[in-house]
Amino acid sequence: MTDKMKIIEVKQSVFADNDADAEKLRKELKSEKTFLLNLMSAPGSGKTTTLVQTINRLEKDLKIGVMEADIDSDVDAYTIAEKTNAKSIQLHTGGMCHLDADMTRQGVKELDTKDLDLAILENVGNLVCPAEFDTGASMNVCILSVPEGDDKPLKYPLMFTICDAMIINKIDVCDYFDFDMEKVREYAYKRNPNLKIFPISAKTGEGVDEWCNWLKEKVIEWNK
């Protein structure tokens, strides 16, 4: 029976190939002096609203483009086009719940990043699949919104482990939800002691300047 059967570790092979492709893409973007930000979160956390606030604060200093990834629809790309001066494209994943390096490369090509200081990938909305695939980004950032609860770093550990920064959005509604800011920091640092944390309200603008100033510094460092 064993002579007729062979076990292949497909998952490991797929990740290895993707990681190699991601590293190649990262080096290409580095040579072009383009910083790629991979922004991840659950649906409804406020990714697009946060991006609008971010772009409008940084557009005087940086040339910015956005890739909006969704299983379907072009709502987010239109929102970016209507509310900012950044160029934007919509990526349809055909049912996939994440983007990998090859899919990101296709988006980078269509966006034409050569004249951009900052390219932003708004990944498909969920806290599981996007964390498993290296997109070739210069930096990974996740958004956790107050209504989601402060226990998410415990429930979705990989997302918070692979990210360089976490934005805690919708702090303007903290009084209406059972959300403990100290606990979420504790849980997040348990997963990643080096995680930068930015509490903001994308609706009111509170805390957004601190996040934008930090991001601008990272872009400038990358593009030197």
Side-chain angles (χ1 to χ4, degrees):
M1 183 69 178
T2 55
D3 293 336
K4 298 180 181 180
M5 182 186 69
K6 184 177 181 181
I7 298 174
I8 302 173
E9 296 291 345
V10 176
K11 185 175 181 181
Q12 181 179 358
S13 175
V14 168
F15 283 154
D17 290 345
N18 181 77
D19 290 348
D21 193 19
E23 187 58 31
K24 183 179 179 181
L25 176 58
R26 196 159 22 246
K27 289 179 179 178
E28 292 170 0
L29 291 170
K30 176 71 172 176
S31 68
E32 294 176 4
K33 296 187 175 181
T34 300
F35 185 99
L36 176 58
L37 170 64
N38 179 25
L39 186 62
M40 299 173 284
S41 78
S45 66
K47 286 195 301 296
T48 308
T49 306
T50 299
L51 280 184
V52 169
Q53 289 270 13
T54 301
I55 293 167
N56 288 336
R57 281 169 167 77
L58 295 180
E59 64 178 359
K60 293 181 180 179
D61 302 307
L62 303 172
K63 295 178 181 178
I64 304 172
V66 180
M67 297 176 283
E68 292 286 352
D70 274 306
I71 293 174
D72 204 349
S73 91
D74 51 15
V75 173
D76 292 340
Y78 272 113
T79 299
I80 295 296
E82 291 173 357
K83 296 186 178 182
T84 77
N85 292 319
K87 62 179 180 178
S88 63
I89 62 171
Q90 187 75 49
L91 305 178
H92 286 166
T93 65
M96 299 287 285
C97 60
H98 65 276
L99 263 70
D100 59 19
D102 183 63
M103 296 162 73
T104 303
R105 182 185 294 280
Q106 295 177 53
V108 165
K109 181 179 179 180
E110 291 300 320
L111 186 63
D112 190 10
T113 60
K114 292 181 180 179
D115 64 338
L116 297 179
D117 302 306
L118 171 61
I120 303 173
L121 170 62
E122 181 177 339
N123 216 314
V124 181
N126 75 84
L127 291 174
V128 182
C129 302
E132 296 182 341
F133 290 84
D134 189 344
T135 60
S138 313
M139 184 171 71
N140 296 313
V141 174
C142 64
I143 299 179
L144 173 65
S145 66
V146 167
E148 293 174 67
D150 52 36
D151 61 350
K152 293 304 174 286
L154 299 179
K155 299 179 71 172
Y156 303 97
L158 183 60
M159 174 61 72
F160 299 89
T161 300
I162 59 100
C163 281
D164 301 276
M166 173 178 69
I167 295 171
I168 302 174
N169 191 24
K170 304 186 182 181
I171 59 173
D172 52 301
V173 298
C174 271
D175 292 342
Y176 303 97
F177 291 89
D178 185 17
F179 187 92
D180 190 317
M181 191 67 70
E182 292 306 312
K183 280 187 177 181
V184 77
R185 288 179 184 272
E186 176 188 341
Y187 299 153
Y189 287 141
K190 181 178 180 180
R191 300 304 183 192
N192 185 350
N194 298 316
L195 192 69
K196 291 288 294 184
I197 299 178
F198 298 94
I200 74 163
S201 169
K203 181 178 180 179
T204 68
E206 182 181 355
V208 177
D209 283 340
E210 183 180 357
W211 148 248
C212 288
N213 290 338
W214 181 81
L215 176 58
K216 183 170 71 172
E217 289 177 4
K218 295 301 178 183
V219 174
I220 292 172
E221 290 174 6
W222 177 266
N223 293 342
K224 283 183 178 179

